[in-house]
Each structure stands twice: as C-alpha cells, then as structure tokens.
C-alpha cells in the first residue's frame, strides 16, 4: 500500500468506463476508498463488486451530473459511507464534434450541461466539506482542446474545456490555501469519449484521430501522482498526450 493513497476517500464521476473506471481501479488497488458515480448503474455495481471481491473498498452511486440533486446526493453518499471526502474527480464529459454550420444546438446544450455545469455542481457539493475538513483535492478533467481550439468541428467542445481550465484556476486562487486543484488535460485517450460524435463526417475524422490514443490507465497514473504529493504541493495542471500526437 502507498501511505499517501491508502485510506483516502475518492469520489469519481463518469466512473463506469474510461478514465473514471481506470482511476477507480488504480486508486482502490492502493488502498483508497472509492465512490463510483455514473448513469449506468449496473456497470458501476459490477465494477464495485469486482473491487470488493479483491478486498478493496468501493461503492456505486447512480449519478447524472446534469442534475444538481444527483451530484449533492453522490457526494453525500461518500461522506455517509466513509465519514469524509478527500478527493473529487470531475471526470464525466461529452465530446460531440461537428461543424458549427450544422447548428446542433441540442449537442451544444448537452456539452455545456455535462462539461461545465456538471463540474460546477461537483465543486458546489464538495467545497463545503473540504472547507470544514481543512483539506481536499479537486481534479477537473479538461483536454488539450482546452489549450488550443479544436477546429473545425470542436469549437463548442473546446469552449467547454477552456471553461474547465478557467474555473479550475479561479478555484485554485480562491481556496488554494488548504484545498488543492489539479486540471488534467488529456490528448487522445482510448475511451468512449470518441463515440459522442453523431455527425457522420466528423465521426470518421474522430475515429481516425483516435488511432493514436493511449490507454486510460495513463491518465489514472497522472491522477495518482498528483494525489501522492505532500499536502503543501499542489500540482495545478498536467497535460498528457500520445508522444505522436501533434495537436
């Protein structure tokens, strides 16, 4: 066990697959108590059952991050089960790539609701707990598309991920005395994120782009690294992409 990880209570949104699942498995294997949140409850429960069978501590909680009440209940479930919350990983996300001329406003709304508002609901739910404890750690999953606009096609997606970076930096400045904030900015990672695109032409491009993807476990290790640092060290931003990725 790693003393910096063991015993920590970690709540992860979007934990039914991809980065969220990989982080849950990585941290639970090192003694963390993990709370898994996502809409696919059966999948969550299967993961939690598998971790428990390995002697690890995990619970599943139904979660739609677009619903504030769901996020409040998810964070509350972590505290109720384990008595505290040490880390919140705001991982749930949607990437719907399409030219703006397609005017897919329903997808724009969905990305804003999940990528921005869902993250803010997580911050709102966990921040009072962290402040009362005098400690806590936010992980906000942005993207390399939050460093450079992914256009054509990813303009609105980039807008949401630039927002994640801005919110994270503002949060750090406001609460950084005792509460840590880490923004993770992945490049192409082999997850279900690439399946969020409904535009046929854009989907073909996205599928080709993701041929270079690295596994989700690569991001899980980055999350673990930031948690492992001493309490007076705040790793504010990690950009991680395939070595062959230019964008």
């Amino acid at each position: 066990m790693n003393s910096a990880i063991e015993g920590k209570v970690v709540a992860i949104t979007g934990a039914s697959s991809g980065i969220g699942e990989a982080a849950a498995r990585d941290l639970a294997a090192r003694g963390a108590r993990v709370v898994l949140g996502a809409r696919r409850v059966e999948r969550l429960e299967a993961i939690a059952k598998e971790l428990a069978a390995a002697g690890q501590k995990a619970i599943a909680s139904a979660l739609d991050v677009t619903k504030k009440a769901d996020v409040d209940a998810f964070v509350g479930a972590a505290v109720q089960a384990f008595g505290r919350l040490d880390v919140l990983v705001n991982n749930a996300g949607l990437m719907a790539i399409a030219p703006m001329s397609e005017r897919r406003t329903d997808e724009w709304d969905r990305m804003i609701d999940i990528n921005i508002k869902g993250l803010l609901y997580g911050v709102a739910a966990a921040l009072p707990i962290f402040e009362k404890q005098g400690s806590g750690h936010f992980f906000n999953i942005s993207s390399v598309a939050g460093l450079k606009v992914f256009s054509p096609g990813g303009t609105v997606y980039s807008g949401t991920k630039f927002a994640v970076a801005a919110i994270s930096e503002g949060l750090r400045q406001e609460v950084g005395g005792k509460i840590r904030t880490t923004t993770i900015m992945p490049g192409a990672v082999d997850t279900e994120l690439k399946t969020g695109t409904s535009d046929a032409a854009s989907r073909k491009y996205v599928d080709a782009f993701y041929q270079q993807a690295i596994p989700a476990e690569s991001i899980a290790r980055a999350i673990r690294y930031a948690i492992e640092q001493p309490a007076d060290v705040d790793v504010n931003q990690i950009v991680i992409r395939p070595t062959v990725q230019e964008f």
Side-chain angles (χ1 to χ4, degrees), residues 174-233:
E174 289 192 28
V175 304
K178 295 182 178 178
I179 298 169
R180 303 193 289 185
T181 302
T182 301
T183 308
I184 306 287
M185 308 184 101
V189 178
D190 188 15
T191 72
E192 295 178 5
L193 187 71
K194 62 180 180 287
T195 67
T197 298
S198 62
D199 178 69
S202 297
R203 178 63 182 272
K204 185 177 180 180
Y205 169 75
V206 168
D207 286 344
F209 181 82
Y210 270 77
Q211 292 300 309
Q212 64 189 326
I214 55 179
E217 289 75 15
S218 303
I219 313 303
R221 289 193 297 270
I223 291 171
R224 187 211 317 162
Y225 165 78
I227 295 174
E228 287 174 336
Q229 301 311 300
D232 61 347
V233 176

Side-chain angles (χ1 to χ4, degrees), residues 120-205:
L120 287 170
Y121 292 157
V123 171
L127 185 55
I129 297 167
F130 289 169
E131 289 177 328
K132 185 177 180 179
Q133 292 173 173
S135 66
H137 197 159
F138 288 107
F139 281 87
N140 297 329
I141 308 300
S142 179
S143 167
V144 294
L147 291 170
K148 179 181 178 182
V149 176
F150 183 28
S151 179
T155 301
V156 177
Y157 176 69
S158 280
T160 66
K161 293 305 185 178
F162 269 84
V164 169
I167 291 166
S168 298
E169 174 58 14
L171 179 64
R172 182 194 69 81
Q173 292 184 32
E174 289 192 28
V175 304
K178 295 182 178 178
I179 298 169
R180 303 193 289 185
T181 302
T182 301
T183 308
I184 306 287
M185 308 184 101
V189 178
D190 188 15
T191 72
E192 295 178 5
L193 187 71
K194 62 180 180 287
T195 67
T197 298
S198 62
D199 178 69
S202 297
R203 178 63 182 272
K204 185 177 180 180
Y205 169 75

Side-chain angles (χ1 to χ4, degrees), residues 1-83:
M1 294 294 182
N2 185 312
S3 60
I5 301 292
E6 187 174 5
K8 284 192 180 295
V9 179
V10 182
I12 305 171
T13 72
S16 60
S17 66
I19 292 171
E21 178 184 355
R25 291 183 180 279
D26 185 277
L27 296 172
R30 288 160 177 80
R33 296 170 287 178
V34 297
V35 183
L36 313 174
R39 290 177 299 165
R40 294 181 293 184
V41 179
E42 290 185 3
R43 174 62 180 158
L44 288 180
E45 291 177 343
I47 296 169
K49 184 176 180 180
E50 183 179 340
L51 295 177
Q56 298 159 16
K57 297 185 184 301
I59 63 170
S61 180
L63 173 64
D64 180 344
V65 298
T66 68
K67 299 177 180 178
K68 184 179 181 298
D70 269 25
V71 181
D72 289 342
F74 170 66
V75 170
V79 176
Q80 183 175 5
F82 299 117

